[in-house]
Amino acid sequence: MTSAPPSVDKASLRRAFIASLSGTSLEWYDFAAYSIAAATVFGHQFFPTGDPLVSTMAAFSTYAVGYLSRPLGGFVFGRLGDVVGRKRVLVLTLLLTGAATFLIGLLPTHQSIGAAAAVLLALLRFAQGVGIGGEWGGAVLLSSEFGDPARRGFWASAAQVGPPAGNLLANGVLATLSLLLTEAQFTSWGWRVAFLLSAALVAFGLWIRLKLEETPVFRRLVETGERPQAPISEVFRHERRALLAAIFVRVLPDVLYALFTVFVLTYMTQRLHMSRSEGLTAVMIGSGAQLVLMPAFGALSDRVDRRRLYLVATVAGIVWPFVFFPLVSGRSFLAVLVGVVVALTIHAALYGPQAALITEQFSERLRYTGSSLAYTLAGVIGGAAAPLLFTSLLAKFGSWEALALYVLVAGIVTIVGLCLARSRTGEPVGEELS
């Protein structure tokens, strides 16, 4: 059967939107702080090799751990979200990610405890990934299940704004520290401040989420006894096409995000010999624009066919690296700024509608599990390896063409996913997905 969520007052809908946005923003602040530190500091602090590029590659390997551990979070918390409820799971994921991030700020470096520092860093990064893996599916459902299906793209985009908001905040904190401290102070202890600040931010996020009610859709599933007993096996048995489509459509956005918010800092400092602060500023401005662009593109996807909008943005994402790298070759900050802002605008056109596109592929009783599995498994294919592959390709070939071709391959995978995906813009999504 097909069912729409019960009517809900606008105050509850606004609270759900804010909780989804604030929670994911805080968790992605943690994730973004790690990403920036991996690109600029962790190579020297935890993986000293004498070669800056090799040290950065080692640091990016722990960056990848955060993506590789996401499926565990998707499996564990996705299942719990469909069985015990969205709200309870989202409190747990926030606590896990916040604790791991705070401990990174206290972690001794290689100089103090040797190779054990890198091992502990990888373990904490693993915990971060598990928390994020369970976060996304629930955050999307938190806002979208309170809302009108005709505006699913807009309401679901609340969770999508989390990454640029968290990235903006993390870049802002680290950029401010870079300006206030000397290079020696920043690399010695200044970077830790950004991680320790997460304690206050996570406390605020918990306060917001603990005040929430459970979503109307999950309450209805409880009342009717329709909660799944084995949601993971049901997804793999009955909704395989939906799962494959949802995984593939995420690949290009993850690769683009890794390129233009993480690896771009490495490329600017080590290949173009520009300052870290210039790269951070460009990423901050682009992320600031995404705060508006993502809900705007989410809303636009409610008015046009979501798959068609996604396809146009995918083609733009494939083309742009072939424009970006020649554009910034002159080492002009203005060129870098324009290049990053355009790239993140394209990413917003993909990421804004993405939450609605993915969740509407699954029946409502399996949405948390299906969406979480798609999100986390796609992260392994797309986001996990991207910074490491970009760095390896640059080290091996020494030119940007190999980087652009990598993006092209990711784009082709996403187009395959769009061919598999169902177009359900504006439809109430219930049990039947035929």
Side-chain angles (χ1 to χ4, degrees), residues 59-393:
F60 278 153
S61 68
T62 59
Y63 172 89
V65 167
Y67 282 90
L68 295 173
S69 62
R70 284 186 185 184
L72 178 59
F75 275 84
V76 173
F77 293 117
R79 178 188 179 280
L80 288 175
D82 280 327
V83 174
V84 304
R86 288 46 163 146
K87 173 185 172 178
R88 293 179 184 178
V89 172
L90 288 172
V91 170
L92 293 175
T93 60
L94 190 61
L95 281 171
L96 177 59
T97 308
T101 304
F102 183 79
L103 291 174
I104 288 174
L106 300 175
L107 197 61
T109 64
H110 184 277
Q111 184 177 4
S112 300
I113 60 173
V119 174
L120 292 173
L121 181 66
L123 289 173
L124 291 173
R125 178 63 172 176
F126 184 91
Q128 272 191 328
V130 172
I132 291 289
E135 163 73 19
W136 185 83
V140 168
L141 298 185
L142 192 64
S143 56
S144 64
E145 287 188 344
F146 274 99
D148 179 0
R151 301 191 66 197
R152 185 183 299 120
F154 172 73
W155 293 117
S157 70
Q160 303 300 84
V161 179
N167 194 45
L168 179 64
L169 184 58
N171 273 279
V173 169
L174 288 167
T176 300
L177 291 170
S178 295
L179 291 173
L180 295 177
L181 304 175
T182 65
E183 185 73 16
Q185 289 173 327
F186 180 83
T187 56
S188 175
W189 58 267
W191 61 271
R192 297 180 182 275
V193 175
F195 291 88
L196 297 176
L197 282 175
S198 68
L201 299 175
V202 171
F204 174 77
L206 287 173
W207 176 69
I208 294 289
R209 288 189 172 181
L210 288 171
K211 294 177 67 175
L212 278 176
E213 297 178 354
E214 188 53 82
T215 72
V217 169
F218 185 77
R219 291 203 306 269
R220 188 187 64 77
L221 292 174
V222 173
E223 292 167 0
T224 58
E226 296 179 16
R227 284 181 294 173
Q229 297 302 310
I232 295 174
S233 63
E234 286 191 47
V235 169
F236 281 105
R237 283 202 314 268
H238 304 302
E239 301 192 6
R240 287 189 296 270
R241 172 178 168 174
L243 183 61
L244 285 175
I247 289 172
F248 289 170
V249 298
R250 277 192 48 83
V251 172
L252 179 64
D254 273 5
V255 170
L256 285 178
Y257 197 72
L259 174 58
F260 289 107
T261 64
V262 180
F263 180 75
V264 70
L265 301 176
T266 299
Y267 190 81
M268 286 183 63
T269 56
Q270 297 187 18
R271 184 61 57 174
L272 300 181
H273 304 292
M274 299 177 69
S275 70
R276 180 178 61 234
S277 61
E278 287 179 310
L280 291 172
T281 300
V283 172
M284 284 176 60
I285 293 173
S287 297
Q290 285 192 313
L291 297 179
V292 177
L293 291 171
M294 283 189 179
F297 280 116
L300 178 62
S301 76
D302 290 325
R303 298 177 178 273
V304 301
D305 184 83
R306 231 182 301 279
R307 284 194 308 171
R308 190 172 302 163
L309 174 61
Y310 211 91
L311 176 61
V312 171
T314 296
V315 173
I318 290 171
V319 170
W320 188 244
F322 292 92
V323 178
F324 173 80
F325 287 107
L327 179 67
V328 301
S329 61
R331 302 177 183 177
S332 163
F333 170 70
L334 180 60
V336 170
L337 176 61
V338 171
V340 169
V341 169
V342 171
L344 293 183
T345 298
I346 295 170
H347 179 263
L350 290 162
Y351 210 65
Q354 183 187 94
L357 180 65
I358 288 177
T359 57
E360 65 193 5
Q361 301 302 310
F362 300 96
S363 57
E364 63 182 19
R365 61 193 298 274
L366 298 174
R367 280 182 190 161
Y368 203 141
T369 300
S371 300
S372 296
L373 291 178
Y375 177 80
T376 56
L377 293 173
V380 174
I381 300 171
L388 188 59
L389 281 175
F390 281 129
T391 308
S392 300
L393 289 170

